[in-house]
Amino acid sequence: MAVHSQPLNDSCSNSSDLLFTGLDLLFELKPLFIPLYALLVTVACTGNLLLLCLISFTKKLQNTTDFLIGNLAAADLIMCIFCVPLTAVYAFESRGWLFGVFMCYFVTLMQGTTVFVSVLSLTAIAIDRYIVIVHPIRQRKRKIPRAVCQNQEKWTTKKEKTFQILVVSILCFGLCWLPLQVG
């Protein structure tokens, strides 16, 4: 913490007092938040593990889109195992970070990595869906004969509306994570 050579003026002191009242509120609500964090981690880990097992062991789900969804599930699982519990302990521990310098850097690395993996996976899913919607396999012409699986997804919504929903979803996700990526 930096040592200030000049005393803080009243307005700065008052704003920092307001900032720390939020921490007091956090510590008061600790009995509520800890079970919620535990429930969040349990549900997320269970759901992501089940999804990864389902994709791994179901032959019908072993396609590009489901592989990318599995990639999202793996990134979320890593976040739930390595980042969420330690960040919760850090938030509720009055002494600060208790896990050492290595874990401080490791958790930060895992948070950034899982966010980038998620963003890249969502981008790849968006591109894959765009190609499937705009250029369905049955309309593709190839010089080399190729067997085509007839068990393809059937899109009953209009192409433009589906694409617009996809673009809005990706933009919302990107804008939500933009402050973390820029900062």
Side-chain angles (χ1 to χ4, degrees):
M1 182 173 219
V3 177
H4 298 285
S5 58
Q6 297 176 345
L8 297 172
N9 62 24
D10 288 338
S11 64
C12 185
S13 176
N14 289 338
S15 66
S16 65
D17 289 344
L18 291 174
L19 176 68
F20 288 107
T21 58
L23 289 176
D24 293 338
L25 178 63
L26 180 69
F27 287 125
E28 287 177 21
L29 295 175
K30 185 177 178 178
L32 173 68
F33 281 119
I34 289 179
L36 290 176
Y37 263 96
L39 180 65
L40 172 82
V41 170
T42 304
V43 169
C45 287
T46 304
N48 286 315
L49 277 172
L50 287 174
L51 181 61
L52 287 170
C53 289
L54 187 67
I55 291 171
S56 298
F57 297 118
T58 306
K59 201 74 161 163
K60 199 174 193 178
L61 297 178
Q62 293 177 356
N63 57 48
T64 304
T65 304
D66 291 325
F67 170 77
L68 293 169
I69 291 170
N71 205 31
L72 280 170
D76 193 44
L77 183 64
I78 290 169
M79 176 73 86
C80 288
I81 291 171
F82 292 110
C83 303
V84 175
L86 297 178
T87 303
V89 170
Y90 174 57
F92 294 118
E93 179 56 50
S94 60
R95 295 173 291 170
W97 185 258
L98 302 175
F99 305 107
V101 175
F102 172 78
M103 286 305 289
C104 178
Y105 287 114
F106 182 75
V107 168
T108 304
L109 173 70
M110 286 297 103
Q111 286 173 337
T113 301
T114 56
V115 169
F116 283 124
V117 167
S118 297
V119 169
L120 291 175
S121 296
L122 286 171
T123 303
I125 290 170
I127 292 169
D128 178 59
R129 294 293 87 199
Y130 174 79
I131 290 170
V132 168
I133 292 168
V134 175
H135 305 289
I137 291 176
R138 66 178 181 269
Q139 294 178 356
R140 291 185 189 168
K141 295 183 181 180
R142 300 187 183 276
K143 294 179 182 175
I144 299 170
R146 179 179 161 190
V148 176
C149 176
Q150 297 301 318
N151 188 16
Q152 297 297 318
E153 296 179 30
K154 304 292 185 208
W155 288 84
T156 58
T157 58
K158 293 182 180 179
K159 291 178 183 179
E160 298 83 21
K161 188 171 186 175
T162 304
F163 182 69
Q164 290 171 352
I165 291 170
L166 187 61
V167 168
V168 169
S169 299
I170 290 172
L171 286 175
C172 289
F173 184 83
L175 288 174
C176 288
W177 283 103
L178 184 65
L180 178 68
Q181 303 306 313
V182 173

